[in-house]
Amino acid sequence: LHDYVFYMKTNICALTVLFNTPQEEVVRLHRQWANLDVDLLTIDNTGSGLGFASGINAILQDALSKYEIFFISNPDIDISSLTKKKFLEATAHFDIWGYTMIQEDVVYYGGEIDRLRMSGGLSSQKPTKRFIACDFISGSLMGVNKNVFETIGTLDTSFGMYYEDVEFCLRARKNGFTIGLDSESSYLHFEESKTNIKKARYLARNRMKFLWQHGTIQQKVYEVIRLPKTLLEDGKHLI
């Protein structure tokens, strides 16, 4: 399971979980992170049955003692537009940070949690300034300072995939950490997971799990009252 290598060129590393990832893509990712003086640590979950969170946490077991700044990331991203000069400037503003994400020609600026239903969604509203606070950062590319992990722990593996990033950020915010976006730096997310036939099921179930885990009494009551509509919308995915 632990097939990553520690290069220790810098005190910054990127963590990526591979799943049926072509070797040429792995080489590309290593090259792009190396251009930023960042060590890329990968783990291959193909055939393991483990989710994204489990893979990231497996790497963190050893990496936490060796690095200070971490980037949780997906393999289906292109970070060639990030620059050494600017990509770490967000660390002066936030404990957890991200960048503008371009996905299927749509531009997203961080994530928002719906205050009524506790659903996590990406915002397409362009900010008026470079550094902005947001509710969560997409796990496709999320920067995290070491002290966040040391304080709140790692990703919740019970989510497997989807909402583990939303839950991690909310847990961090509850512990006083700041979360935000550098809107002037961007990356591409190819979102290969969109072809996953189980994606809708994971999203529906994990949203409910997130709500019951972190929601207020009022939010839970609202969801119970709304249950007939929820079953109509997502029922086949919740069964």
Side-chain angles (χ1 to χ4, degrees), residues 17-220:
V17 178
L18 307 176
F19 188 85
N20 290 323
T21 307
Q23 184 58 32
E24 59 268 25
E25 286 297 283
V26 179
V27 171
R28 175 185 64 82
L29 289 168
H30 273 286
R31 182 176 64 250
Q32 290 186 356
W33 281 114
N35 288 339
L36 296 172
D37 290 332
V38 175
D39 293 342
L40 174 61
L41 313 179
T42 65
I43 189 167
D44 195 335
N45 272 4
T46 305
S48 71
L50 297 175
F52 177 78
S54 295
I56 291 296
N57 289 354
I59 308 176
L60 281 170
Q61 285 182 0
D62 295 323
L64 277 172
S65 64
K66 300 175 175 67
Y67 296 91
E68 299 296 324
I69 295 175
F70 301 82
F71 285 94
I72 295 172
S73 63
N74 285 355
D76 56 348
I77 61 172
D78 187 309
I79 58 169
S80 57
S81 59
L82 297 181
T83 65
K84 289 183 187 179
K85 182 178 179 181
K86 294 178 62 175
F87 90 108
L88 287 180
E89 291 180 1
T91 61
H93 299 266
F94 309 110
D95 301 299
I96 298 176
W97 65 94
Y99 309 97
T100 296
M101 180 175 73
I102 303 170
Q103 181 175 289
E104 294 186 320
D105 297 323
V106 180
V107 182
Y108 296 105
Y109 304 95
E112 298 177 342
I113 298 175
D114 180 87
R115 295 300 184 262
L116 194 57
R117 301 193 64 210
M118 291 290 285
S119 58
L122 297 172
S123 173
S124 57
Q125 182 173 351
K126 186 175 182 178
T128 57
K129 55 184 180 180
R130 177 179 176 184
F131 297 105
I132 61 163
C134 58
D135 290 338
F136 71 91
I137 297 299
S138 167
S140 61
L141 183 57
M142 176 198 297
V144 185
N145 282 325
K146 181 177 182 177
N147 62 334
V148 177
F149 291 121
E150 292 177 331
T151 302
I152 71 169
T154 54
L155 300 180
D156 186 338
T157 58
S158 67
F159 284 89
M161 61 182 68
Y162 305 116
Y163 272 87
E164 75 287 329
D165 47 3
V166 183
E167 193 279 335
F168 181 76
C169 287
L170 179 59
R171 190 159 26 105
R173 195 165 69 250
K174 286 182 175 180
N175 281 271
F177 292 107
T178 55
I179 300 163
L181 183 84
D182 176 359
S183 65
E184 288 187 6
S185 297
S186 64
Y187 68 101
L188 298 177
H189 184 210
F190 310 131
E191 204 204 2
E192 293 179 356
S193 63
K194 66 184 177 182
T195 60
N196 188 336
I197 59 175
K198 296 181 179 179
K199 180 177 180 178
R201 177 179 297 178
Y202 289 140
L203 285 170
R205 291 184 174 183
N206 284 350
R207 186 195 70 80
M208 292 295 288
K209 175 180 174 59
F210 178 64
L211 168 65
W212 291 108
Q213 184 172 318
H214 289 287
T216 64
I217 293 177
Q218 291 83 356
Q219 288 167 330
K220 293 173 183 177

